[in-house]
Amino acid sequence: LRLGAGIHTGPMAIGDAGNGFAAIGAPIDMSELLARLARTYRVSIVCGPETVFAAREKYFFRPLDYVRVPHTQQPMEIYELMGDRSIATPYMDVYARAYEAYRERDYKSSVLAATKVLENLPHDGPTQLIKSRSERFLKKPPKREWDGAWLVK
């Protein structure tokens, strides 16, 4: 059993809704969407950029993807919360190189770096996704005007 959580930071309203407390606002909706994405990327916790900005001194996050969510014009980067800052491992540097190469459309370098990560972590969902997309784009590159954002439904 794998559970996924989404954390997004922003203003919301919290109060007594008659049958108990409730929270409403855009961050709540975004948290629900991020929780669904946790299952897609096969990670435990997905965070939005505002959360990463607020907690980056204490926690280690790795970028997962660049996505466009419903009802927003601007794409955003999403991140996996890995744990406290001490959890960073050498393979995270290699993952970062794979992700950066992918975002820069250097798909060959992305595949090479992702392959190195997968040698140590063969079941890492985000790395498998980056490698798969990069291999696909090596065969058939995306359109030049594509901004790299994946539409989340």
Side-chain angles (χ1 to χ4, degrees), residues 6-13 23-34 50-51:
I7 303 174
H8 194 66
T9 302
M12 64 189 87
I24 59 171
I28 301 299
D29 298 335
M30 185 62 73
S31 291
E32 290 175 11
L33 177 85
L34 294 174
E50 291 85 355
T51 302

Side-chain angles (χ1 to χ4, degrees), residues 45-63:
I45 303 172
V46 176
C47 300
E50 291 85 355
T51 302
V52 174
F53 182 77
R56 69 188 181 283
E57 298 298 323
K58 186 170 182 178
Y59 296 100
F60 179 70
F61 299 88
R62 73 168 166 170

Side-chain angles (χ1 to χ4, degrees), residues 60 62 80 82 87-98 113 116-118 120-121 124 127:
F60 179 70
R62 73 168 166 170
E80 178 185 11
M82 302 292 292
I87 203 157
T89 61
Y91 82 85
M92 282 293 110
D93 290 337
V94 181
Y95 172 85
R97 284 199 305 272
K116 285 187 179 194
V117 173
L118 292 171
N120 295 305
L121 299 168
D124 187 60
T127 306

